[in-house]
Amino acid sequence: ALQCRTFTGSVERSWRMGSYSLLVSGAHDPDAAERESFLARAERPPNTSPDKSHVIAFPAGSRAGSFFHSVLETVDFGHASSPDTERLVENRLRAFGFDPAWRPAVVQVVGEVAGSDLFPDDGLVLSRLPPEARIAEAEFYHPLRPLSSHSLQTVFAPFGHTGALRGFPEQLGRLTFAPLHGYMKGFIDLVAVHRDRFYLVDWKSNHLGPERTDYAADRLAAVMREEHYVLQAHIYTLALHLY
C-alpha cells in the first residue's frame, strides 16, 4: 500500500534572499508618528486643477515614483532636450495614468537632472557621459554572511557620532527583520564611471512639501536617515565594491 513518507530533516529558514527593502520593511521607529504628522502638515491641500507648469505640484505617491523611475532609467541624458525625450515622457505619462499636460514640466526636470553638476569638483554631468560609461538598473547578487539588526548596529556604531550617521546605529538596532544569511540582491538605478571613479545614483521622488525650501540640504539629510536611505547607499556601495 502507498504511504506518505515522513520528513525528519530540518529546513534552514534563515537561508534566503535578502534585499534593502526586506531589511527595512518592518522598521519600527518610535518617532514615526510625529514625523508622519509633520509630513501630513507639509502635504499640499487637495487641488483638482494643480499648476502643471512646475513639477512641484505633480501628484505625490508611489505611482508617481514609479513613473519618474521609468523615465529616468530609459531617457538618453545626452539628448535630454529632444523630441525623443518629449515622446518618451508623454508615453510614460499616459502609461501611468497621468495627464499628458505634465509633459513640459517633466521634460524640464529631466533636462535639469541631465545638466546638473552633481560633483562640481569632479565635473560629473550626466549629459556629458557617453552611453558606455553608465549602466541603468544594474542588478547585483552577492553572498551574505549571517546578518541581523544587532550586527548592522555593531558595524555602524564606531561611525555614528557625527555627520550623516549621527544616531543611525541606534536606528538600525530598531529594525525588525528576521536574521538571515544567503544572498543579497538589488538593482542600482544608475552606475557611472568618470575619470577612473565609480558613482552610483538612486532616484528619489519623495514629496516633502510644496516649497523649494522643503528640499534644502539639511532636510534631505534628515530624510536620508529617517527612511534608511543611508543604509541603502551603503548596501549599493558594497555591491559596487565587490563587483
Side-chain angles (χ1 to χ4, degrees):
L2 297 178
Q3 182 178 346
C4 291
R5 297 176 64 187
T6 301
F7 177 69
T8 58
S10 62
V11 177
E12 178 55 79
R13 297 187 181 276
S14 64
W15 182 274
R16 53 197 169 122
M17 194 72 71
S19 67
Y20 158 73
S21 298
L22 175 69
L23 299 187
V24 303
S25 60
H28 169 66
D29 185 349
D31 299 324
E34 180 180 348
R35 182 169 69 253
E36 289 171 2
S37 175
F38 168 80
L39 291 177
R41 294 196 302 271
E43 289 180 356
R44 53 185 177 272
N47 187 349
T48 56
S49 56
D51 178 11
K52 295 183 174 66
S53 65
H54 198 288
V55 76
I56 199 80
F58 198 89
S62 59
R63 185 162 55 97
S66 297
F67 160 73
F68 280 106
H69 273 73
S70 176
V71 170
L72 292 169
E73 73 185 34
T74 309
V75 72
D76 181 354
F77 291 109
H79 300 86
S81 300
S82 69
D84 287 341
T85 299
E86 293 184 359
R87 283 192 292 271
L88 168 66
V89 169
E90 182 164 344
N91 289 339
R92 295 303 165 90
L93 283 168
R94 294 183 186 278
F96 282 87
F98 293 112
D99 189 340
W102 286 106
R103 185 189 67 184
V106 175
V107 170
Q108 179 181 351
V109 167
V110 172
E112 291 174 352
V113 170
S116 294
D117 202 345
L118 301 181
F119 291 89
D121 293 339
D122 297 344
L124 177 62
V125 180
L126 294 179
S127 63
R128 300 175 190 167
L129 287 177
E132 63 270 17
R134 59 182 187 264
I135 300 175
E137 291 296 294
E139 185 176 12
F140 66 84
Y141 291 85
H142 66 75
L144 187 67
R145 292 182 179 181
L147 182 67
S148 67
S149 58
H150 176 71
S151 62
L152 270 180
Q153 183 177 8
T154 301
V155 167
F156 281 85
F159 314 100
H161 306 294
T162 59
L165 295 180
R166 181 186 294 275
F168 193 62
E170 291 76 12
Q171 187 177 353
L172 291 175
R174 294 194 290 267
L175 294 177
T176 58
F177 65 91
L180 65 96
H181 69 281
Y183 284 85
M184 179 68 77
K185 69 172 182 178
F187 292 86
I188 304 175
D189 288 346
L190 181 67
V191 176
V193 62
H194 175 66
R195 293 182 179 175
D196 297 324
R197 300 182 72 180
F198 286 97
Y199 298 83
L200 61 88
V201 176
D202 190 79
W203 310 117
K204 301 297 183 191
S205 57
N206 304 45
H207 175 66
L208 306 182
E211 305 295 336
R212 284 186 177 269
T213 53
D214 295 320
Y215 302 85
D218 58 343
R219 180 69 185 119
L220 296 182
V223 174
M224 284 285 290
R225 291 190 298 270
E226 293 165 359
E227 301 297 333
H228 297 92
Y229 294 153
V230 174
L231 175 61
Q232 183 183 21
H234 281 79
I235 291 174
Y236 287 4
T237 301
L238 172 61
L240 188 56
H241 171 71
L242 292 175
Y243 175 77

